[in-house]
């Protein structure tokens, strides 16, 4: 006979399993323009660094889509459920621990791996992969048009995704948004490498993105992100222009807007602060 705790945990696992099945079914059914990834997600060979290569790095979450979609809130609920079920914490304890790890490491999973021995891939499955994103994200024609204009301007050589999420989540977002065919690659936080779990704003994450994209010099890089801490790091590394996306007010956990950064309220406002990149 199961205890109340065991029964609650099984209900939690069953719910996640069912949602994962629904998510995968929907993903397999996508046919709209931009719903399929065209780049090699995990290439075996890295490109030779090109000192003249121009790369625009795009964050994904709360950047390619609006923060007001409340996906972040949905994700926080999912994270707290994981904390409570896997670490047997009360809601207040889970909330406090999650905020601590998020502020200190940029990702809750880093703290979980470092101090609790959590399986990062299991965490990803129960938290990110189980989110019903298809109920929220739809093809964004204005975003698609802006990215096409940026590609066609001839001012940028590569559009590159740079996310703290694992690749499953990042790729699902761009497929649902209908822009997956417009990017040249992705640098993600590799949850499989638990000994070296590196994410923004760690400088090593930026170096990883630099190597994977083939960028030879940070002065030829542009970067947009909703995290002030990440933007601050990009500025300190010498990126040509860094754009802080702040839809309403800066999230203090992610840092205030740094000096020398541009500010926009929505990703499609990029041409307003970077007109030189959108002129043919």
């Amino acid at each position: 006979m199961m205890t109340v705790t065991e029964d609650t945990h099984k209900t939690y696992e069953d719910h996640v399993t069912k949602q994962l099945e629904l998510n995968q079914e929907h993903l397999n059914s996508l046919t709209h323009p931009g719903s399929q990834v065209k780049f090699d997600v995990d290439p075996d060979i890295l490109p030779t660094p090109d000192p003249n290569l121009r790369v625009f790095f795009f964050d994904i979450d709360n950047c390619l889509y609006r923060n007001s979609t409340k996906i972040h809130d949905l994700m926080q609920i999912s994270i707290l459920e994981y904390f409570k079920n896997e670490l047997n914490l009360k809601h207040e304890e889970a909330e406090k621990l999650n905020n601590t790890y998020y502020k200190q490491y940029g990702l809750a999973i880093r703290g979980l791996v470092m101090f609790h021995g959590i399986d990062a891939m299991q965490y990803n499955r129960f938290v990110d992969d189980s989110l019903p994103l298809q109920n929220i994200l739809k093809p964004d024609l204005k975003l698609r048009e802006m990215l096409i204009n940026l590609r066609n301007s001839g001012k940028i050589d590569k559009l590159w995704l740079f996310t703290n999420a694992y690749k499953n989540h990042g790729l699902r977002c761009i497929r649902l948004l209908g822009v997956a065919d417009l990017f040249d690659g992705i640098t993600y936080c590799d949850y499989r490498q638990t000994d070296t779990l590196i994410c923004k704003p760690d400088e090593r994450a930026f170096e990883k993105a630099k190597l994977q994209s083939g960028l030879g010099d940070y002065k030829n890089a542009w970067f947009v992100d909703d995290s002030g801490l990440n933007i601050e790091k990009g500025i300190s590394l010498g990126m040509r222009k860094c754009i802080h996306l702040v839809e309403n007010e800066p999230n203090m956990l992610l840092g205030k807007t740094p000096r020398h950064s541009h500010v926009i309220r929505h990703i499609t406002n990029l041409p307003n602060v970077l007109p030189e990149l959108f002129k043919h």
Side-chain angles (χ1 to χ4, degrees):
M1 184 176 180
M2 287 192 295
T3 64
V4 173
T5 301
E6 290 171 332
D7 186 54
T8 301
H9 193 269
K10 186 178 186 308
T11 301
Y12 169 64
E13 289 187 335
D14 289 345
H15 170 74
V16 169
T17 300
K18 180 61 178 176
Q19 189 60 57
L20 286 168
E21 292 173 355
L22 293 173
N23 293 352
Q24 191 58 53
E25 286 175 10
H26 184 271
L27 203 58
N28 293 341
S29 72
L30 296 180
T31 58
H32 59 256
S35 64
Q36 304 303 317
V37 176
K38 301 296 184 181
F39 57 83
D40 189 348
V41 177
D42 291 305
D44 294 325
I45 301 174
L46 293 177
T48 301
D50 182 346
N52 298 313
L53 189 74
R54 300 162 299 180
V55 182
F56 204 124
F57 294 97
F58 288 81
D59 179 40
I60 298 177
D61 288 309
N62 301 317
C63 191
L64 290 186
Y65 60 80
R66 290 181 183 272
N67 180 51
S68 54
T69 58
K70 301 297 183 182
I71 287 177
H72 177 76
D73 294 349
L74 194 65
M75 190 176 291
Q76 290 306 302
I77 292 171
S78 187
I79 290 172
L80 291 178
E81 285 301 307
Y82 186 86
F83 270 74
K84 290 190 288 185
N85 279 278
E86 297 300 322
L87 301 182
N88 197 25
L89 297 177
K90 293 180 180 179
H91 183 84
E92 294 76 16
E93 296 171 326
E95 198 169 45
K96 182 178 180 181
L97 197 60
N98 176 42
N99 287 340
T100 298
Y101 290 161
Y102 192 57
K103 186 174 183 178
Q104 290 182 351
Y105 306 114
L107 275 180
I109 185 58
R110 284 194 72 185
L112 288 171
V113 169
M114 291 169 64
F115 303 113
H116 304 277
I118 290 296
D119 181 337
M121 291 307 295
Q122 184 216 38
Y123 169 90
N124 179 72
R125 181 172 177 270
F126 275 69
V127 176
D128 288 359
D129 286 355
S130 69
L131 295 175
L133 297 179
Q134 64 272 15
N135 297 340
I136 305 171
L137 296 181
K138 307 297 178 187
D140 188 333
L141 298 182
K142 290 184 178 180
L143 171 62
R144 183 172 178 80
E145 181 183 12
M146 184 206 71
L147 292 173
I148 289 174
N149 288 339
L150 181 57
R151 289 193 70 90
N152 291 343
S153 72
K155 305 296 177 62
I156 296 293
D157 299 305
K158 288 185 178 181
L159 305 187
W160 203 267
L161 298 160
F162 187 16
T163 178
N164 275 352
Y166 185 57
K167 60 182 175 181
N168 294 7
H169 176 77
L171 297 178
R172 189 154 64 112
C173 286
I174 60 170
R175 292 182 64 187
L176 291 169
L177 288 168
V179 295
D181 59 329
L182 301 178
F183 290 93
D184 299 288
I186 183 171
T187 296
Y188 58 90
C189 184
D190 194 345
Y191 291 2
R192 298 167 298 182
Q193 307 297 324
T194 53
D195 292 336
T196 54
L197 199 60
I198 299 169
C199 62
K200 299 175 289 184
D202 191 318
E203 186 172 332
R204 292 172 297 174
F206 285 80
E207 283 297 309
K208 182 180 177 182
K210 185 169 180 275
L211 286 171
Q212 291 181 337
S213 65
L215 179 71
D217 195 318
Y218 280 121
K219 71 180 182 181
N220 292 325
W222 289 257
F223 178 42
V224 59
D225 199 300
D226 68 308
S227 165
L229 294 174
N230 296 344
I231 290 298
E232 186 173 25
K233 178 58 69 174
I235 292 171
S236 72
L237 291 172
M239 286 184 163
R240 182 174 297 193
K241 286 190 178 178
C242 294
I243 300 91
H244 189 197
L245 195 155
V246 184
E247 188 172 330
N248 293 307
E249 295 181 359
N251 182 333
M252 287 300 100
L253 285 176
L254 299 176
K256 62 183 180 180
T257 299
R259 291 181 60 197
H260 308 301
S261 65
H262 299 269
V263 179
I264 57 175
R265 296 206 175 275
H266 187 258
I267 191 68
T268 55
N269 296 146
L270 277 179
N272 297 342
V273 294
L274 300 173
E276 69 276 11
L277 295 185
F278 289 86
K279 293 177 182 177
H280 292 274

